Amino acid sequence: MKKYPRVVIVGAGFGGLQTARSLANKEVEVVLIDRNNYNTFIPLLYQVATAQLAPEQVAVPIRTLLRRAANTKFLRAEVTQIDFVAQEIKTDINTLSYDFLVLATGSRSQFLNVSGAEKYTFPLKTLNQAIRLRNHLLSCFEQAAVTNNQIERSQLLTIAIVGGGATGVELAGSLIELITNSLRRDYPQLNPQEVRVLLLQSGDRLFREFPQPLGDYTAKKLRRLGVKVMLGSKVVAVSPEGLELDDATKIATSTVIWAVGVEGAIPRCFPFPEKKQQRQINVLPTLQLIDHPQVFAIGDLARIPSHQKSLSGVAPEALQQGVYVASTIRRQIQGKRVKPFKYFNKGRLAIIGCYSGIGQIAGLPLKGFLPWLFWLAVHVVYVPDWRNRLIIFLTWLHNYLIGDRPSRLIL
Amino acid sequence: MKKYPRVVIVGAGFGGLQTARSLANKEVEVVLIDRNNYNTFIPLLYQVATAQLAPEQVAVPIRTLLRRAANTKFLRAEVTQIDFVAQEIKTDINTLSYDFLVLATGSRSQFLNVSGAEKYTFPLKTLNQAIRLRNHLLSCFEQAAVTNNQIERSQLLTIAIVGGGATGVELAGSLIELITNSLRRDYPQLNPQEVRVLLLQSGDRLFREFPQPLGDYTAKKLRRLGVKVMLGSKVVAVSPEGLELDDATKIATSTVIWAVGVEGAIPRCFPFPEKKQQRQINVLPTLQLIDHPQVFAIGDLARIPSHQKSLSGVAPEALQQGVYVASTIRRQIQGKRVKPFKYFNKGRLAIIGCYSGIGQIAGLPLKGFLPWLFWLAVHVVYVPDWRNRLIIFLTWLHNYLIGDRPSRLIL
C-alpha cells in the first residue's frame, strides 16, 4: 500500500474541521487533533449561557463527523511542542511527524490588562464557559430570591456585559428574553424593575463592523427592550463586587460578562520566528507561514499582514479557508502552483433578540424581522449535524411560540 | 388574609414533588426545598450515562413545574437541622417553622463496607454522577484508542457493573447498544472483541424482584447480546486497577459501576429517637413518624416496620405516597380521621435493551418486545414535562431507527 503524505490539523473548530472534511477520502492521511472530543458551534454558545439550548445541541462528537472519512484519525490531545524543522509535533500523549501542518486553534479571550478581568469575568468562548455562565446566572436569581438585603439583591440582579459587538448584543437581547419569558414567572417574589442588564461599550457605537445606522438601530432596539446601553464606557477594573469605569463610576454587580477582546489562541509552544509574542500568527496571502510553505494557519489564529485589516474572524471565513487549505495542500502534492486565498463575503447577520436583527447582504443594509429570521435560518443550516439541527429548530419554535427557556439547570 | 398552615417538603424527587403538586392551590402554604434547582427523572439516568439522552432531557427546573401553584415556594438549600419539638427546620440559608413536614430525600448508594467502593466506583443516583460516568466511559475509549500497551487497553475497555437489579441490567444492555451502534464506528482501530461488559451479581440470579423465569430470561438475553453475566460473584474490594471477588479472582478494569446497595438518604442532621443510625426512617402505616404525627417520611427514605417487607423503592410508590400525604395533611387540618397508606401496584417493567424487556402486570409475567415497548411508553408518559417528553421520544426514535448515540461529549 502506498504511503500517503500526512496532514496534521490542530483544532477542530470551523476551520480545522472543514479542512479535515475537505480532505476526507483524498490521497492524504489526516490526523485531526483537539483537546475536546466535540466540535462546538460557537455562534450559538450564548444561547447555552441563557438556557435556551442544551450544551448537547451546540456540540457534536468529532468522531461522528469523521465516520465516513476512512483516511482520517481523530486524536484527543493537547499540543505541547512544534518543530518546524524536523516537521514533528508533540502532544501530551504522543509524537507525530507531518508532511503538512494546519494550525486552526481559533481564538481566546484577551483581557486587555483590565485589572481583575481574567479572574472575575465570564468569557464566552467555550462550551464549558457557557455552562458556567448559565449556572452562575441562575444561581444569582436563586440567591436574590432569598436575600432580604436590598443592596445584595440589586448586585445579584445586575448583569453587566462588556463589549458591544455581536456576542455582547446577542447576549443582551437573549438575557432580556430569558428574564421576561422565564425568570419573571419563576420568581414572582422578585421585582422585575430590580433586574438590570447593562451593555457597556468603550466606543461611541455598537456593532463597529456594520454601518453606523445599523449600530444606532441596535442601540435603540436594545434600549426599548430594557437593556441599559452605555456607550463610551471603558471598564478599567473588575472585582467580585462589581466593576469600575475610567470615569471612576462604580457599578455593583455579581456578573460581568466579557464579550470583548479576542486574540488568536496561539499554542503556547509555538516557535515564533520573530522571538516575540503576537496576538495572531502572520501568514502569507496563501495562509502559509512565511518560512514554512508546508505549514498553514487559518481562522481566528491567522493574520495576513499585507492586507489592510486583519481577517474578519467570522465562521464563513474559517470555513472557506478550510476548503482552500485542503485544495492548496492537494495542489502542492500534485506540484501545481498555489493561488492566494480569497474570501467571498456572503454578507453578515446579527441577531438582537425579540424578533429583531440586522444584516448587510451584498452591501444592502437590513434591519428588523427579516434579518432576525435569516439569522435563525442560516444558523440552523450551518449546524453540522441534522439531529441537532432538528432539535434546535424545535427548541426555537417552542421558545418563540410558548416563550420559555427549558434548560435552566444549575449543574 | 388568613394565614394557612405551612407544609415544608424536603426533597423534590418523585415523592416530594408529587406532594407539592397535590397541594398546589390548596388551603396550605407550601415550601419545597431541594439542593438542586431541578427534578431528576432517575429511571432514565442510565441513558444519560450511556450518551443516549442529554442531561437536560431527564431534568426539569423545579420552578417551571410549580409555576401554576401560587401557594408554593421553592427554596434551593441544604437542610442542616430539624427540630421536631419546636417544629423548625434550618437550612444553610434560613430557618423555617412548619406545621407539617414531609421528608422525601430519596436514597443514596450504600457501599456495603466493600473496601475502595466509595472511592473508586461510579454510582448512578444523581444527574452529576451520570454525567461523570459518561465522561469517564468516553475518556476510556479515547485513551484505549491511542495506547499500544495491550494490558492497559484491555483494562480501559473492560466495564464491570456490580449489581444485577434493574439499574445494573439496564446499564448493561444500554452499554452494549452504545458499543455496538456508536463506539465500533467511532473507533475502527479497536478490536470489538477487546471490549467487555461484565455484570456481577452476588446472588444466583438477576432481578430478584421478578419471578425466577424472568431473571433467567434476562441472563440468557444479556449473554446473547455479549454481556458476561457473572452470578454468585461477590465483590470484596475495588481499586483504581480493578476489583477483587470473594474467591480471590481479580478483574482488571478502569470502570466499576456501583448499581447495588441503596439506603435512605436520611438528612445528616436527622434527630433519631432511637439514638442509632438506621438505613431508613421507620414510619407508621400512615407514613407519619412514630412520635410526630405532623411529620411524614415517604419514598425510598421511609420504611414501615410492621410490613413484612420494606417499601419497594419504585417511583410509582413514591408518587402514590405524595398524593396520599397531601390528602392526609388536608384531612388532619380538617380534623378528619387518617387512613393508612395503601400501595396500588400497577405492575412492574424493566428494560434489557436491544428490543427486549421483562415485566409483571396483574401477576402476568411478560418478556420480549412487548414489555420493552411498554417500558418506553410508560417512561415517556411519566416524564414531567411535555417538551422533554417529545425530545426523548424523538431521540429514541432516532436511536432505534438509525442506531446512534448523539450525546457523546466529554464535558
Side-chain angles (χ1 to χ4, degrees):
Chain A
M1 199 180 110
K2 189 180 168 298
K3 211 185 148 288
Y4 288 128
R6 180 187 283 167
V7 182
V8 173
I9 305 167
V10 184
F14 285 106
L17 187 65
Q18 183 59 57
T19 310
R21 290 180 128 186
S22 295
L23 288 171
N25 304 316
K26 298 293 187 293
E27 61 294 355
V28 287
E29 183 199 334
V30 179
V31 180
L32 177 60
I33 304 178
D34 200 288
R35 67 175 70 154
N36 293 316
N37 80 327
Y38 52 86
N39 163 270
T40 309
F41 195 76
I42 292 175
L44 291 178
L45 274 186
Y46 81 93
Q47 298 204 355
V48 173
T50 56
Q52 190 162 7
L53 295 174
E56 275 70 12
Q57 288 157 17
V58 303
V60 192
I62 293 164
R63 290 186 186 275
T64 304
L65 298 169
L66 298 178
R67 273 188 193 154
R68 284 182 200 150
N71 65 331
T72 308
K73 269 192 197 143
F74 171 67
L75 182 64
R76 183 185 164 229
E78 192 104 30
V79 172
T80 55
Q81 207 179 314
I82 304 173
D83 186 334
F84 289 143
V85 179
Q87 301 200 174
E88 214 175 62
I89 184 161
K90 279 204 171 80
T91 72
D92 51 354
I93 49 178
N94 60 6
T95 302
L96 285 159
S97 67
Y98 64 80
D99 298 297
F100 296 93
L101 177 64
V102 182
L103 299 170
T105 50
S107 59
R108 62 180 156 227
S109 295
Q110 220 271 334
F111 296 98
L112 311 166
N113 294 322
V114 171
S115 129
E118 185 160 7
K119 196 160 173 197
Y120 300 116
T121 68
F122 290 83
L124 196 58
K125 300 289 298 172
T126 69
L127 193 55
N128 282 325
Q129 288 171 348
I131 297 170
R132 187 174 151 249
L133 177 54
R134 178 182 83 180
N135 288 343
H136 175 79
L137 285 169
L138 297 171
S139 293
C140 284
F141 274 84
E142 286 296 333
Q143 287 170 52
V146 290
T147 183
N148 294 316
N149 180 331
Q150 207 192 313
I151 294 171
E152 191 192 342
R153 192 166 61 239
S154 156
Q155 186 179 353
L156 286 164
L157 295 177
T158 299
I159 303 159
I161 303 165
V162 184
T167 308
V169 169
E170 286 166 359
L171 250 176
S174 188
L175 273 171
I176 292 288
E177 289 178 349
L178 171 68
I179 292 160
T180 318
N181 295 339
S182 299
L183 298 184
R184 283 196 193 166
R185 288 196 269 163
D186 278 352
Y187 302 92
Q189 67 269 51
L190 292 179
N191 175 359
Q193 304 301 326
E194 282 191 278
V195 184
R196 296 192 307 159
V197 176
L198 316 178
L199 182 62
L200 295 103
Q201 163 74 318
S202 59
D204 59 354
R205 52 176 287 213
L206 300 177
F207 269 137
R208 261 176 290 194
E209 58 272 41
F210 286 101
Q212 172 94 36
L214 293 181
D216 295 347
Y217 169 81
T218 303
K220 203 180 70 183
K221 194 82 204 169
L222 284 177
R223 285 187 176 127
R224 202 178 304 152
L225 291 175
V227 175
K228 192 167 178 205
V229 179
M230 298 170 70
L231 300 174
S233 297
K234 198 168 150 35
V235 175
V236 293
V238 184
S239 75
E241 279 73 45
L243 57 80
E244 194 180 334
L245 301 179
D246 60 352
D247 63 2
T249 310
K250 283 186 182 171
I251 297 171
T253 165
S254 303
T255 313
V256 180
I257 301 170
W258 197 254
V260 70
V262 154
E263 62 179 11
I266 301 171
R268 218 166 304 151
C269 56
F270 187 84
F272 272 104
E274 300 92 356
K275 305 277 172 222
K276 61 165 187 169
Q277 284 298 334
Q278 292 177 312
R279 291 227 184 135
Q280 284 173 304
I281 293 176
N282 287 336
V283 291
L284 299 169
T286 53
L287 308 180
Q288 289 165 308
L289 259 58
I290 287 145
D291 295 321
H292 307 286
Q294 64 289 92
V295 182
F296 297 81
I298 63 174
D300 286 354
L301 183 66
R303 185 175 159 265
I304 305 176
S306 56
H307 286 204
Q308 304 96 309
K309 52 178 190 170
S310 97
L311 299 170
S312 66
V314 293
E317 192 172 55
L319 291 171
Q320 290 177 28
Q321 291 181 341
V323 173
Y324 165 84
V325 164
S327 117
T328 300
I329 287 173
R330 295 181 65 205
R331 291 181 74 90
Q332 280 183 290
I333 294 170
Q334 292 157 5
K336 293 188 189 160
R337 203 171 61 83
V338 170
K339 298 177 205 160
F341 168 71
K342 277 205 193 89
Y343 172 46
F344 174 67
N345 189 342
K346 294 182 199 166
R348 219 169 157 168
L349 291 163
I351 197 163
I352 304 173
C354 298
Y355 310 102
S356 294
I358 61 168
Q360 199 172 23
I361 294 173
L364 202 74
L366 298 168
K367 61 187 182 188
F369 182 72
L370 208 65
W372 177 84
L373 197 66
F374 278 0
W375 188 97
L376 294 182
V378 166
H379 283 77
V380 158
V381 168
Y382 271 93
V383 165
D385 177 78
W386 72 262
R387 196 185 162 278
N388 278 343
R389 214 170 282 153
L390 177 69
I391 296 194
I392 290 175
F393 176 74
L394 288 175
T395 305
W396 285 346
L397 210 64
H398 170 247
N399 194 222
Y400 289 108
L401 292 180
I402 317 276
D404 201 357
R405 296 289 172 93
S407 301
R408 303 189 311 286
L409 312 183
I410 306 176
L411 283 179
Chain B
M1 199 181 111
K2 189 178 169 300
K3 210 182 152 288
Y4 288 129
R6 181 187 282 166
V7 181
V8 173
I9 304 167
V10 184
F14 285 106
L17 187 64
Q18 183 59 58
T19 310
R21 291 181 127 186
S22 295
L23 289 172
N25 303 316
K26 298 294 187 295
E27 62 293 356
V28 287
E29 182 200 334
V30 179
V31 181
L32 176 60
I33 304 178
D34 200 288
R35 69 176 67 154
N36 293 316
N37 80 329
Y38 52 85
N39 163 269
T40 310
F41 195 77
I42 292 175
L44 291 178
L45 274 185
Y46 81 92
Q47 297 203 354
V48 173
T50 55
Q52 190 162 6
L53 294 175
E56 276 69 13
Q57 287 157 19
V58 303
V60 191
I62 292 164
R63 290 185 186 275
T64 304
L65 299 169
L66 298 178
R67 273 188 193 155
R68 285 182 200 152
N71 65 331
T72 308
K73 270 191 197 141
F74 171 66
L75 182 65
R76 183 182 164 230
E78 191 103 31
V79 172
T80 55
Q81 207 180 315
I82 304 174
D83 186 334
F84 290 142
V85 179
Q87 301 201 176
E88 215 176 63
I89 183 162
K90 279 202 173 78
T91 74
D92 51 355
I93 48 178
N94 60 5
T95 301
L96 285 160
S97 67
Y98 64 80
D99 297 297
F100 296 93
L101 177 65
V102 182
L103 299 169
T105 49
S107 59
R108 63 181 157 228
S109 295
Q110 219 271 335
F111 295 98
L112 311 166
N113 296 320
V114 171
S115 128
E118 184 160 7
K119 194 159 175 198
Y120 300 115
T121 69
F122 290 83
L124 196 58
K125 300 288 297 173
T126 69
L127 192 55
N128 282 325
Q129 287 171 348
I131 298 170
R132 184 171 154 251
L133 177 54
R134 178 182 82 181
N135 289 343
H136 174 80
L137 285 169
L138 297 172
S139 293
C140 283
F141 274 83
E142 286 297 332
Q143 286 171 51
V146 291
T147 182
N148 295 316
N149 179 332
Q150 207 192 314
I151 293 171
E152 190 193 341
R153 191 167 60 241
S154 155
Q155 186 179 351
L156 286 163
L157 295 177
T158 299
I159 303 160
I161 303 165
V162 183
T167 308
V169 169
E170 286 166 359
L171 251 175
S174 188
L175 274 170
I176 292 289
E177 289 179 349
L178 171 69
I179 292 160
T180 319
N181 295 339
S182 299
L183 298 185
R184 281 197 193 164
R185 288 195 269 162
D186 278 351
Y187 302 91
Q189 66 270 51
L190 292 178
N191 176 0
Q193 304 302 323
E194 280 191 279
V195 184
R196 295 193 307 159
V197 176
L198 316 178
L199 181 63
L200 297 104
Q201 164 72 317
S202 59
D204 60 353
R205 52 177 285 212
L206 300 176
F207 270 138
R208 260 175 291 193
E209 60 272 41
F210 285 101
Q212 171 94 36
L214 293 181
D216 294 348
Y217 169 80
T218 304
K220 202 180 74 184
K221 193 82 203 172
L222 284 176
R223 283 185 176 129
R224 203 179 303 152
L225 291 175
V227 177
K228 191 168 179 202
V229 179
M230 298 169 72
L231 300 174
S233 297
K234 197 167 152 35
V235 176
V236 293
V238 184
S239 74
E241 280 71 45
L243 57 81
E244 195 180 332
L245 301 179
D246 60 351
D247 62 2
T249 310
K250 284 187 182 169
I251 298 171
T253 165
S254 303
T255 313
V256 180
I257 302 170
W258 197 254
V260 71
V262 155
E263 62 180 9
I266 300 172
R268 220 166 302 151
C269 56
F270 187 83
F272 272 106
E274 301 92 355
K275 305 277 169 222
K276 61 166 188 171
Q277 282 297 335
Q278 293 178 311
R279 291 231 182 130
Q280 283 172 303
I281 293 177
N282 288 336
V283 290
L284 299 169
T286 53
L287 307 180
Q288 289 164 308
L289 259 59
I290 287 145
D291 296 320
H292 306 285
Q294 64 290 93
V295 183
F296 297 81
I298 64 174
D300 286 356
L301 183 67
R303 184 175 159 267
I304 306 177
S306 57
H307 286 201
Q308 302 96 310
K309 53 178 188 171
S310 98
L311 299 170
S312 67
V314 293
E317 191 173 56
L319 290 171
Q320 290 177 29
Q321 291 181 342
V323 174
Y324 164 84
V325 164
S327 117
T328 300
I329 287 173
R330 295 182 65 207
R331 291 180 73 90
Q332 279 182 290
I333 294 170
Q334 291 157 6
K336 292 188 190 162
R337 204 170 61 83
V338 171
K339 298 177 207 161
F341 169 71
K342 277 204 194 89
Y343 172 47
F344 175 66
N345 189 341
K346 294 184 199 164
R348 218 168 159 169
L349 292 162
I351 197 164
I352 303 172
C354 297
Y355 310 103
S356 294
I358 60 168
Q360 198 172 22
I361 294 173
L364 202 74
L366 299 168
K367 60 188 185 189
F369 182 71
L370 208 64
W372 177 84
L373 197 67
F374 278 0
W375 189 96
L376 295 182
V378 165
H379 283 77
V380 158
V381 168
Y382 272 94
V383 165
D385 177 78
W386 72 260
R387 196 184 162 276
N388 277 343
R389 214 171 281 155
L390 177 70
I391 297 192
I392 290 174
F393 176 75
L394 287 175
T395 304
W396 285 347
L397 210 65
H398 172 246
N399 193 221
Y400 289 108
L401 293 180
I402 317 275
D404 202 356
R405 295 288 171 94
S407 301
R408 301 189 312 285
L409 313 182
I410 305 176
L411 284 179

